[in-house]
Structures are given as structure tokens and as C-alpha cells.
Amino acid sequence: MTPVTSIRFDVLTIFPGMFVGPIDQSILGRAQAAGLVSVQIHDLRDWAHDRHRTVDDAPFGGGPGMVMKPEPLFEAIEAIQPLVEAPATVIFMSPQGRRLDRALVDELAALPRLLLVCGRYEGVDERVLEHAVDFEVSIGDFVVSGGEIPAMVVIDAVSRRIPGVLGGDDSLDEESFDEGLLEYPQYTRPAEFRGWPVPEILLSGHHAEIGKWRRRLRMLRTRFRRPDLLPGASLTAKERAWLDAQPTDDADQAALDATERGRVD
Ligand code: 9D3
């Protein structure tokens, strides 16, 4: 018997309805049916103390906006933790958090259980972050309206790292990013569309040459679009030398990449 890794997500939110479509569709839906991933959504208002189901209040010291009250959050987290045996790592989705990247996705995928707490309003009572949350996660330096969509991003990205979730060869998913290079350009029929031809090499049937061309395009593209990735990319000394020898002064390298520069000489 091969060991099976699975992960459980609990989500705490005041908008449980936002999660209904996304997590039941496609790859995530299949992963849940296969028992590789489970997702349970919890409505924070179920732990409110009044009949208006209030979960926010004005900030001490004044200032704009509202702050999430501590009692419902503490009580919800304490009620959700014992629902299954594995202890959950509690993550608060927040613009102040550690920025999500591949390394963090992999760290999270190694955990058995995550409790994702979605923020709303201007913020949350700091005592929740200090005493009930393990750490905060952001999906990037831009503002979205709440933690729900970021939590879905975490669930989707982390689930893809669980073996078996992608169905086929899961290792395929990482290959292009793994080597720290962007992907090569792709084409399908027709061979000429509105006067724009597919690069000739791809029609040649010379698989070794096509492989070289694709590799070169990946290197050129990465240098042009994401030069920050290059120092960490796994290139051979020969490949680095080749790339260093390519001119960088073109007005439109992107267009050039797809044709001339990728030519195998
Ligand atoms: C007034 C200052 N704003 C902080 C930048 C207030 C604020 C705006 C939006 C506070 C929270 C939010 C809602 N965003 C999230 O909860 C959130 C988020 C995000 O906005 N960007 C990236 N990642 C995340 S994770 C949660």
C-alpha cells in the first residue's frame, strides 16, 4: 500500500456562500470526492453573542472603519479545532501577512490541517492575532475586499501540491516553474492564422531541435519578463553563456522571442 497524504481545510468567514461554487468544481471537486482534500466552511456569525449576530465594533482610540471583535473569533476557533483530531495551524488572511509564494505553498501542503480565518472590515482585534493565530498570509501587495478570495487561492494552490490531486503525473505541474524558468510559447492549428505563421521549427518534426528551441525561448522569455528569476534558474554553464551572448537591446523582444531568436542555428 502506498501512503496517502490528505489535507483538511477549515474556513471561518462571514460570507460562507462565497465558497460554494469554487471549491466544488473541477480539480478541487475531484480531490474532495477522492478524499485527498476536505474543506469545511464555518459562518463566524454562528458564534456572535447577540441576536443581530454582530461580529464587529468601533476601534478603541477612534479612527475610521470597524474592527472584528475578539469573542466570536476565539470561540469559533476553539470550537472548530476539536472537530477532528489533527490540530489545525491557524492562519489569518491579511494584507499584513507573509506573502504567498511557492515555498510557502509547499510548507502549507506539508501540514495535515489548516484553519483559514478570513478578515473583513478594517482589521481584527490584535489579541486574536497574538493568542489565537499562528501566522498571517497575504496573496500580494494589492488590496482585495476581504480574506475570502485569498483563502480560496491558498486552498487551490496548496491542494495542487497534494499527491494525486492533479490526476496524472503531478510532477508535471512543477516542472516549468521548478527550474525557475517561464514556459515556452505554444501554438495549435491552423499553421497560419490571419497571416501569422506558427514558428517553422514546430512543424519540422525534429523533436530534438524543437526541444532546444523551447528551452531557448524559456530562457529568453525569463530574462525579458522575469529577470528576477534568472539567478535562481537551473541553467547549465553552457546555457548561461548562450543567454549572456544574446542581445537584449531590442524594442520588442517579446515578438522576437517567438520567432527569430529561438531559431536553432
Ligand atoms: C485602510 C487600510 N487597508 C489595508 C491595506 C484596509 C484593508 C483593506 C482591505 C484591510 C483589509 C482588507 C481586506 N483584505 C484582506 O483581508 C486580505 C488581503 C488583501 O487585501 N490583499 C492581499 N492579500 C490579502 S489576504 C486578506
Side-chain angles (χ1 to χ4, degrees), residues 74-106:
F74 268 93
E75 289 165 29
I77 292 167
E78 285 160 2
I80 293 164
Q81 271 290 13
L83 289 180
V84 294
E85 204 177 331
T89 299
V90 181
I91 295 173
F92 192 83
M93 303 308 304
S94 150
Q96 272 75 54
R98 174 170 165 195
R99 182 145 59 166
L100 191 66
D101 61 10
R102 222 193 100 100
L104 181 52
V105 168
D106 283 347

PDB file of all heavy atoms in Angstrom, residues 74-106:
ATOM      1  N   PHE A  74     -12.377  33.961  18.855  1.00  0.00           N
ATOM      2  CA  PHE A  74     -11.781  32.984  19.786  1.00  0.00           C
ATOM      3  C   PHE A  74     -12.680  31.766  19.949  1.00  0.00           C
ATOM      4  O   PHE A  74     -12.228  30.621  19.890  1.00  0.00           O
ATOM      5  CB  PHE A  74     -11.543  33.629  21.165  1.00  0.00           C
ATOM      6  CG  PHE A  74     -10.178  34.229  21.314  1.00  0.00           C
ATOM      7  CD1 PHE A  74      -9.965  35.575  21.022  1.00  0.00           C
ATOM      8  CD2 PHE A  74      -9.102  33.458  21.734  1.00  0.00           C
ATOM      9  CE1 PHE A  74      -8.693  36.139  21.156  1.00  0.00           C
ATOM     10  CE2 PHE A  74      -7.828  34.013  21.872  1.00  0.00           C
ATOM     11  CZ  PHE A  74      -7.623  35.357  21.588  1.00  0.00           C
ATOM     12  N   GLU A  75     -13.964  32.026  20.152  1.00  0.00           N
ATOM     13  CA  GLU A  75     -14.872  30.902  20.413  1.00  0.00           C
ATOM     14  C   GLU A  75     -15.037  30.014  19.182  1.00  0.00           C
ATOM     15  O   GLU A  75     -15.123  28.784  19.301  1.00  0.00           O
ATOM     16  CB  GLU A  75     -16.215  31.426  20.917  1.00  0.00           C
ATOM     17  CG  GLU A  75     -16.078  31.992  22.338  1.00  0.00           C
ATOM     18  CD  GLU A  75     -17.258  32.858  22.780  1.00  0.00           C
ATOM     19  OE1 GLU A  75     -18.395  32.610  22.295  1.00  0.00           O
ATOM     20  OE2 GLU A  75     -17.042  33.775  23.597  1.00  0.00           O
ATOM     21  N   ALA A  76     -15.068  30.626  18.015  1.00  0.00           N
ATOM     22  CA  ALA A  76     -15.172  29.833  16.783  1.00  0.00           C
ATOM     23  C   ALA A  76     -13.931  28.960  16.612  1.00  0.00           C
ATOM     24  O   ALA A  76     -14.039  27.755  16.348  1.00  0.00           O
ATOM     25  CB  ALA A  76     -15.350  30.755  15.576  1.00  0.00           C
ATOM     26  N   ILE A  77     -12.758  29.561  16.765  1.00  0.00           N
ATOM     27  CA  ILE A  77     -11.510  28.797  16.592  1.00  0.00           C
ATOM     28  C   ILE A  77     -11.462  27.658  17.603  1.00  0.00           C
ATOM     29  O   ILE A  77     -11.112  26.522  17.263  1.00  0.00           O
ATOM     30  CB  ILE A  77     -10.284  29.737  16.707  1.00  0.00           C
ATOM     31  CG1 ILE A  77     -10.241  30.695  15.511  1.00  0.00           C
ATOM     32  CG2 ILE A  77      -8.984  28.928  16.812  1.00  0.00           C
ATOM     33  CD1 ILE A  77      -9.279  31.875  15.662  1.00  0.00           C
ATOM     34  N   GLU A  78     -11.871  27.933  18.846  1.00  0.00           N
ATOM     35  CA  GLU A  78     -11.859  26.891  19.887  1.00  0.00           C
ATOM     36  C   GLU A  78     -12.879  25.792  19.606  1.00  0.00           C
ATOM     37  O   GLU A  78     -12.678  24.639  20.007  1.00  0.00           O
ATOM     38  CB  GLU A  78     -12.106  27.526  21.260  1.00  0.00           C
ATOM     39  CG  GLU A  78     -10.868  28.266  21.773  1.00  0.00           C
ATOM     40  CD  GLU A  78     -11.171  29.308  22.853  1.00  0.00           C
ATOM     41  OE1 GLU A  78     -12.349  29.450  23.261  1.00  0.00           O
ATOM     42  OE2 GLU A  78     -10.206  29.991  23.266  1.00  0.00           O
ATOM     43  N   ALA A  79     -13.970  26.137  18.924  1.00  0.00           N
ATOM     44  CA  ALA A  79     -14.985  25.112  18.599  1.00  0.00           C
ATOM     45  C   ALA A  79     -14.574  24.289  17.382  1.00  0.00           C
ATOM     46  O   ALA A  79     -14.889  23.098  17.296  1.00  0.00           O
ATOM     47  CB  ALA A  79     -16.331  25.796  18.336  1.00  0.00           C
ATOM     48  N   ILE A  80     -13.878  24.913  16.444  1.00  0.00           N
ATOM     49  CA  ILE A  80     -13.507  24.216  15.196  1.00  0.00           C
ATOM     50  C   ILE A  80     -12.305  23.302  15.424  1.00  0.00           C
ATOM     51  O   ILE A  80     -12.240  22.206  14.866  1.00  0.00           O
ATOM     52  CB  ILE A  80     -13.231  25.260  14.082  1.00  0.00           C
ATOM     53  CG1 ILE A  80     -14.539  25.984  13.714  1.00  0.00           C
ATOM     54  CG2 ILE A  80     -12.609  24.607  12.851  1.00  0.00           C
ATOM     55  CD1 ILE A  80     -14.330  27.272  12.921  1.00  0.00           C
ATOM     56  N   GLN A  81     -11.375  23.728  16.277  1.00  0.00           N
ATOM     57  CA  GLN A  81     -10.149  22.930  16.494  1.00  0.00           C
ATOM     58  C   GLN A  81     -10.456  21.469  16.825  1.00  0.00           C
ATOM     59  O   GLN A  81      -9.890  20.580  16.199  1.00  0.00           O
ATOM     60  CB  GLN A  81      -9.279  23.552  17.593  1.00  0.00           C
ATOM     61  CG  GLN A  81      -8.282  24.591  17.092  1.00  0.00           C
ATOM     62  CD  GLN A  81      -7.128  24.006  16.262  1.00  0.00           C
ATOM     63  OE1 GLN A  81      -7.168  22.857  15.835  1.00  0.00           O
ATOM     64  NE2 GLN A  81      -6.112  24.815  16.015  1.00  0.00           N
ATOM     65  N   PRO A  82     -11.334  21.165  17.784  1.00  0.00           N
ATOM     66  CA  PRO A  82     -11.538  19.750  18.146  1.00  0.00           C
ATOM     67  C   PRO A  82     -12.454  18.963  17.207  1.00  0.00           C
ATOM     68  O   PRO A  82     -12.737  17.796  17.493  1.00  0.00           O
ATOM     69  CB  PRO A  82     -12.141  19.844  19.561  1.00  0.00           C
ATOM     70  CG  PRO A  82     -12.795  21.160  19.620  1.00  0.00           C
ATOM     71  CD  PRO A  82     -12.033  22.080  18.708  1.00  0.00           C
ATOM     72  N   LEU A  83     -12.881  19.538  16.102  1.00  0.00           N
ATOM     73  CA  LEU A  83     -13.788  18.801  15.193  1.00  0.00           C
ATOM     74  C   LEU A  83     -13.116  17.572  14.597  1.00  0.00           C
ATOM     75  O   LEU A  83     -13.782  16.590  14.270  1.00  0.00           O
ATOM     76  CB  LEU A  83     -14.294  19.716  14.065  1.00  0.00           C
ATOM     77  CG  LEU A  83     -15.285  20.801  14.483  1.00  0.00           C
ATOM     78  CD1 LEU A  83     -15.694  21.628  13.269  1.00  0.00           C
ATOM     79  CD2 LEU A  83     -16.515  20.199  15.165  1.00  0.00           C
ATOM     80  N   VAL A  84     -11.815  17.660  14.395  1.00  0.00           N
ATOM     81  CA  VAL A  84     -11.048  16.461  14.026  1.00  0.00           C
ATOM     82  C   VAL A  84      -9.791  16.428  14.878  1.00  0.00           C
ATOM     83  O   VAL A  84      -9.423  17.424  15.511  1.00  0.00           O
ATOM     84  CB  VAL A  84     -10.687  16.416  12.513  1.00  0.00           C
ATOM     85  CG1 VAL A  84     -11.926  16.263  11.653  1.00  0.00           C
ATOM     86  CG2 VAL A  84      -9.881  17.624  12.107  1.00  0.00           C
ATOM     87  N   GLU A  85      -9.141  15.259  14.875  1.00  0.00           N
ATOM     88  CA  GLU A  85      -8.039  15.043  15.803  1.00  0.00           C
ATOM     89  C   GLU A  85      -6.813  15.889  15.484  1.00  0.00           C
ATOM     90  O   GLU A  85      -6.200  16.465  16.385  1.00  0.00           O
ATOM     91  CB  GLU A  85      -7.674  13.559  15.808  1.00  0.00           C
ATOM     92  CG  GLU A  85      -6.984  13.135  17.091  1.00  0.00           C
ATOM     93  CD  GLU A  85      -6.699  11.637  17.126  1.00  0.00           C
ATOM     94  OE1 GLU A  85      -7.467  10.874  16.498  1.00  0.00           O
ATOM     95  OE2 GLU A  85      -5.712  11.260  17.771  1.00  0.00           O
ATOM     96  N   ALA A  86      -6.465  15.954  14.200  1.00  0.00           N
ATOM     97  CA  ALA A  86      -5.256  16.691  13.820  1.00  0.00           C
ATOM     98  C   ALA A  86      -5.405  18.164  14.180  1.00  0.00           C
ATOM     99  O   ALA A  86      -6.405  18.790  13.829  1.00  0.00           O
ATOM    100  CB  ALA A  86      -5.011  16.551  12.327  1.00  0.00           C
ATOM    101  N   PRO A  87      -4.437  18.721  14.916  1.00  0.00           N
ATOM    102  CA  PRO A  87      -4.549  20.143  15.249  1.00  0.00           C
ATOM    103  C   PRO A  87      -4.334  21.001  14.007  1.00  0.00           C
ATOM    104  O   PRO A  87      -3.449  20.721  13.195  1.00  0.00           O
ATOM    105  CB  PRO A  87      -3.424  20.356  16.263  1.00  0.00           C
ATOM    106  CG  PRO A  87      -2.437  19.276  16.002  1.00  0.00           C
ATOM    107  CD  PRO A  87      -3.199  18.114  15.417  1.00  0.00           C
ATOM    108  N   ALA A  88      -5.146  22.045  13.861  1.00  0.00           N
ATOM    109  CA  ALA A  88      -5.012  22.927  12.700  1.00  0.00           C
ATOM    110  C   ALA A  88      -4.017  24.033  12.980  1.00  0.00           C
ATOM    111  O   ALA A  88      -3.978  24.586  14.083  1.00  0.00           O
ATOM    112  CB  ALA A  88      -6.365  23.521  12.344  1.00  0.00           C
ATOM    113  N   THR A  89      -3.220  24.356  11.989  1.00  0.00           N
ATOM    114  CA  THR A  89      -2.440  25.590  12.005  1.00  0.00           C
ATOM    115  C   THR A  89      -3.406  26.704  11.642  1.00  0.00           C
ATOM    116  O   THR A  89      -4.105  26.629  10.626  1.00  0.00           O
ATOM    117  CB  THR A  89      -1.291  25.499  10.981  1.00  0.00           C
ATOM    118  OG1 THR A  89      -0.447  24.415  11.343  1.00  0.00           O
ATOM    119  CG2 THR A  89      -0.490  26.793  10.942  1.00  0.00           C
ATOM    120  N   VAL A  90      -3.473  27.723  12.490  1.00  0.00           N
ATOM    121  CA  VAL A  90      -4.449  28.792  12.290  1.00  0.00           C
ATOM    122  C   VAL A  90      -3.795  29.951  11.544  1.00  0.00           C
ATOM    123  O   VAL A  90      -2.802  30.520  11.993  1.00  0.00           O
ATOM    124  CB  VAL A  90      -5.031  29.282  13.633  1.00  0.00           C
ATOM    125  CG1 VAL A  90      -6.073  30.376  13.395  1.00  0.00           C
ATOM    126  CG2 VAL A  90      -5.635  28.113  14.421  1.00  0.00           C
ATOM    127  N   ILE A  91      -4.365  30.264  10.387  1.00  0.00           N
ATOM    128  CA  ILE A  91      -3.812  31.307   9.519  1.00  0.00           C
ATOM    129  C   ILE A  91      -4.853  32.402   9.349  1.00  0.00           C
ATOM    130  O   ILE A  91      -6.001  32.126   9.000  1.00  0.00           O
ATOM    131  CB  ILE A  91      -3.443  30.719   8.144  1.00  0.00           C
ATOM    132  CG1 ILE A  91      -2.314  29.696   8.315  1.00  0.00           C
ATOM    133  CG2 ILE A  91      -3.060  31.825   7.162  1.00  0.00           C
ATOM    134  CD1 ILE A  91      -1.987  28.945   7.048  1.00  0.00           C
ATOM    135  N   PHE A  92      -4.445  33.643   9.624  1.00  0.00           N
ATOM    136  CA  PHE A  92      -5.336  34.771   9.374  1.00  0.00           C
ATOM    137  C   PHE A  92      -4.952  35.388   8.036  1.00  0.00           C
ATOM    138  O   PHE A  92      -3.793  35.745   7.812  1.00  0.00           O
ATOM    139  CB  PHE A  92      -5.220  35.808  10.496  1.00  0.00           C
ATOM    140  CG  PHE A  92      -6.303  36.841  10.449  1.00  0.00           C
ATOM    141  CD1 PHE A  92      -7.549  36.590  11.007  1.00  0.00           C
ATOM    142  CD2 PHE A  92      -6.090  38.061   9.819  1.00  0.00           C
ATOM    143  CE1 PHE A  92      -8.573  37.537  10.945  1.00  0.00           C
ATOM    144  CE2 PHE A  92      -7.104  39.015   9.752  1.00  0.00           C
ATOM    145  CZ  PHE A  92      -8.348  38.746  10.320  1.00  0.00           C
ATOM    146  N   MET A  93      -5.928  35.475   7.119  1.00  0.00           N
ATOM    147  CA  MET A  93      -5.675  36.060   5.809  1.00  0.00           C
ATOM    148  C   MET A  93      -5.642  37.581   5.972  1.00  0.00           C
ATOM    149  O   MET A  93      -6.628  38.172   6.424  1.00  0.00           O
ATOM    150  CB  MET A  93      -6.784  35.664   4.819  1.00  0.00           C
ATOM    151  CG  MET A  93      -6.969  34.153   4.646  1.00  0.00           C
ATOM    152  SD  MET A  93      -5.466  33.240   4.265  1.00  0.00           S
ATOM    153  CE  MET A  93      -4.920  34.091   2.793  1.00  0.00           C
ATOM    154  N   SER A  94      -4.518  38.202   5.617  1.00  0.00           N
ATOM    155  CA  SER A  94      -4.357  39.619   5.916  1.00  0.00           C
ATOM    156  C   SER A  94      -3.317  40.279   5.016  1.00  0.00           C
ATOM    157  O   SER A  94      -2.311  39.645   4.677  1.00  0.00           O
ATOM    158  CB  SER A  94      -3.909  39.750   7.383  1.00  0.00           C
ATOM    159  OG  SER A  94      -3.108  40.885   7.578  1.00  0.00           O
ATOM    160  N   PRO A  95      -3.556  41.541   4.631  1.00  0.00           N
ATOM    161  CA  PRO A  95      -2.545  42.255   3.837  1.00  0.00           C
ATOM    162  C   PRO A  95      -1.216  42.400   4.594  1.00  0.00           C
ATOM    163  O   PRO A  95      -0.190  42.669   3.984  1.00  0.00           O
ATOM    164  CB  PRO A  95      -3.171  43.634   3.586  1.00  0.00           C
ATOM    165  CG  PRO A  95      -4.621  43.480   3.895  1.00  0.00           C
ATOM    166  CD  PRO A  95      -4.733  42.363   4.892  1.00  0.00           C
ATOM    167  N   GLN A  96      -1.235  42.220   5.928  1.00  0.00           N
ATOM    168  CA  GLN A  96      -0.007  42.318   6.725  1.00  0.00           C
ATOM    169  C   GLN A  96       0.766  41.007   6.803  1.00  0.00           C
ATOM    170  O   GLN A  96       1.789  40.926   7.477  1.00  0.00           O
ATOM    171  CB  GLN A  96      -0.342  42.726   8.174  1.00  0.00           C
ATOM    172  CG  GLN A  96      -0.400  44.220   8.404  1.00  0.00           C
ATOM    173  CD  GLN A  96      -1.654  44.812   7.833  1.00  0.00           C
ATOM    174  OE1 GLN A  96      -2.758  44.355   8.145  1.00  0.00           O
ATOM    175  NE2 GLN A  96      -1.511  45.799   6.974  1.00  0.00           N
ATOM    176  N   GLY A  97       0.255  39.976   6.127  1.00  0.00           N
ATOM    177  CA  GLY A  97       0.832  38.649   6.310  1.00  0.00           C
ATOM    178  C   GLY A  97       2.069  38.365   5.484  1.00  0.00           C
ATOM    179  O   GLY A  97       2.507  39.201   4.680  1.00  0.00           O
ATOM    180  N   ARG A  98       2.620  37.163   5.663  1.00  0.00           N
ATOM    181  CA  ARG A  98       3.720  36.685   4.838  1.00  0.00           C
ATOM    182  C   ARG A  98       3.188  36.467   3.429  1.00  0.00           C
ATOM    183  O   ARG A  98       2.124  35.860   3.246  1.00  0.00           O
ATOM    184  CB  ARG A  98       4.253  35.362   5.419  1.00  0.00           C
ATOM    185  CG  ARG A  98       5.308  34.707   4.552  1.00  0.00           C
ATOM    186  CD  ARG A  98       5.980  33.547   5.272  1.00  0.00           C
ATOM    187  NE  ARG A  98       6.716  32.720   4.334  1.00  0.00           N
ATOM    188  CZ  ARG A  98       7.164  31.494   4.587  1.00  0.00           C
ATOM    189  NH1 ARG A  98       6.950  30.954   5.782  1.00  0.00           N
ATOM    190  NH2 ARG A  98       7.825  30.807   3.675  1.00  0.00           N
ATOM    191  N   ARG A  99       3.892  36.988   2.453  1.00  0.00           N
ATOM    192  CA  ARG A  99       3.399  36.906   1.092  1.00  0.00           C
ATOM    193  C   ARG A  99       3.463  35.477   0.567  1.00  0.00           C
ATOM    194  O   ARG A  99       4.488  34.829   0.664  1.00  0.00           O
ATOM    195  CB  ARG A  99       4.168  37.842   0.181  1.00  0.00           C
ATOM    196  CG  ARG A  99       3.622  37.798  -1.250  1.00  0.00           C
ATOM    197  CD  ARG A  99       3.711  39.108  -1.861  1.00  0.00           C
ATOM    198  NE  ARG A  99       5.134  39.434  -1.811  1.00  0.00           N
ATOM    199  CZ  ARG A  99       5.696  40.415  -2.483  1.00  0.00           C
ATOM    200  NH1 ARG A  99       4.982  41.226  -3.177  1.00  0.00           N
ATOM    201  NH2 ARG A  99       6.971  40.617  -2.432  1.00  0.00           N
ATOM    202  N   LEU A 100       2.357  35.041  -0.007  1.00  0.00           N
ATOM    203  CA  LEU A 100       2.283  33.677  -0.529  1.00  0.00           C
ATOM    204  C   LEU A 100       3.206  33.518  -1.732  1.00  0.00           C
ATOM    205  O   LEU A 100       3.175  34.322  -2.657  1.00  0.00           O
ATOM    206  CB  LEU A 100       0.838  33.373  -0.945  1.00  0.00           C
ATOM    207  CG  LEU A 100       0.501  31.926  -1.277  1.00  0.00           C
ATOM    208  CD1 LEU A 100       0.608  31.041  -0.043  1.00  0.00           C
ATOM    209  CD2 LEU A 100      -0.892  31.832  -1.887  1.00  0.00           C
ATOM    210  N   ASP A 101       4.029  32.485  -1.703  1.00  0.00           N
ATOM    211  CA  ASP A 101       4.828  32.114  -2.875  1.00  0.00           C
ATOM    212  C   ASP A 101       4.941  30.595  -2.876  1.00  0.00           C
ATOM    213  O   ASP A 101       4.350  29.918  -2.023  1.00  0.00           O
ATOM    214  CB  ASP A 101       6.198  32.805  -2.867  1.00  0.00           C
ATOM    215  CG  ASP A 101       7.035  32.434  -1.656  1.00  0.00           C
ATOM    216  OD1 ASP A 101       6.657  31.504  -0.913  1.00  0.00           O
ATOM    217  OD2 ASP A 101       8.076  33.080  -1.435  1.00  0.00           O
ATOM    218  N   ARG A 102       5.687  30.079  -3.825  1.00  0.00           N
ATOM    219  CA  ARG A 102       5.778  28.626  -3.958  1.00  0.00           C
ATOM    220  C   ARG A 102       6.295  27.951  -2.703  1.00  0.00           C
ATOM    221  O   ARG A 102       5.818  26.887  -2.306  1.00  0.00           O
ATOM    222  CB  ARG A 102       6.683  28.283  -5.139  1.00  0.00           C
ATOM    223  CG  ARG A 102       6.159  27.170  -5.971  1.00  0.00           C
ATOM    224  CD  ARG A 102       7.276  26.722  -6.896  1.00  0.00           C
ATOM    225  NE  ARG A 102       7.886  25.546  -6.338  1.00  0.00           N
ATOM    226  CZ  ARG A 102       7.607  24.321  -6.756  1.00  0.00           C
ATOM    227  NH1 ARG A 102       6.753  24.149  -7.731  1.00  0.00           N
ATOM    228  NH2 ARG A 102       8.174  23.286  -6.205  1.00  0.00           N
ATOM    229  N   ALA A 103       7.299  28.572  -2.080  1.00  0.00           N
ATOM    230  CA  ALA A 103       7.897  27.977  -0.876  1.00  0.00           C
ATOM    231  C   ALA A 103       6.857  27.878   0.240  1.00  0.00           C
ATOM    232  O   ALA A 103       6.762  26.858   0.933  1.00  0.00           O
ATOM    233  CB  ALA A 103       9.100  28.797  -0.422  1.00  0.00           C
ATOM    234  N   LEU A 104       6.052  28.938   0.397  1.00  0.00           N
ATOM    235  CA  LEU A 104       5.035  28.915   1.446  1.00  0.00           C
ATOM    236  C   LEU A 104       3.938  27.903   1.106  1.00  0.00           C
ATOM    237  O   LEU A 104       3.464  27.168   1.977  1.00  0.00           O
ATOM    238  CB  LEU A 104       4.454  30.323   1.662  1.00  0.00           C
ATOM    239  CG  LEU A 104       3.385  30.451   2.749  1.00  0.00           C
ATOM    240  CD1 LEU A 104       3.835  29.867   4.087  1.00  0.00           C
ATOM    241  CD2 LEU A 104       2.986  31.921   2.937  1.00  0.00           C
ATOM    242  N   VAL A 105       3.548  27.849  -0.159  1.00  0.00           N
ATOM    243  CA  VAL A 105       2.549  26.857  -0.578  1.00  0.00           C
ATOM    244  C   VAL A 105       3.024  25.455  -0.209  1.00  0.00           C
ATOM    245  O   VAL A 105       2.260  24.652   0.349  1.00  0.00           O
ATOM    246  CB  VAL A 105       2.269  26.963  -2.102  1.00  0.00           C
ATOM    247  CG1 VAL A 105       1.470  25.755  -2.595  1.00  0.00           C
ATOM    248  CG2 VAL A 105       1.520  28.256  -2.413  1.00  0.00           C
ATOM    249  N   ASP A 106       4.286  25.161  -0.467  1.00  0.00           N
ATOM    250  CA  ASP A 106       4.815  23.831  -0.148  1.00  0.00           C
ATOM    251  C   ASP A 106       4.874  23.596   1.360  1.00  0.00           C
ATOM    252  O   ASP A 106       4.601  22.487   1.822  1.00  0.00           O
ATOM    253  CB  ASP A 106       6.184  23.631  -0.786  1.00  0.00           C
ATOM    254  CG  ASP A 106       6.075  23.327  -2.283  1.00  0.00           C
ATOM    255  OD1 ASP A 106       4.955  23.033  -2.752  1.00  0.00           O
ATOM    256  OD2 ASP A 106       7.105  23.390  -2.972  1.00  0.00           O
TER     257      ASP A 106
END
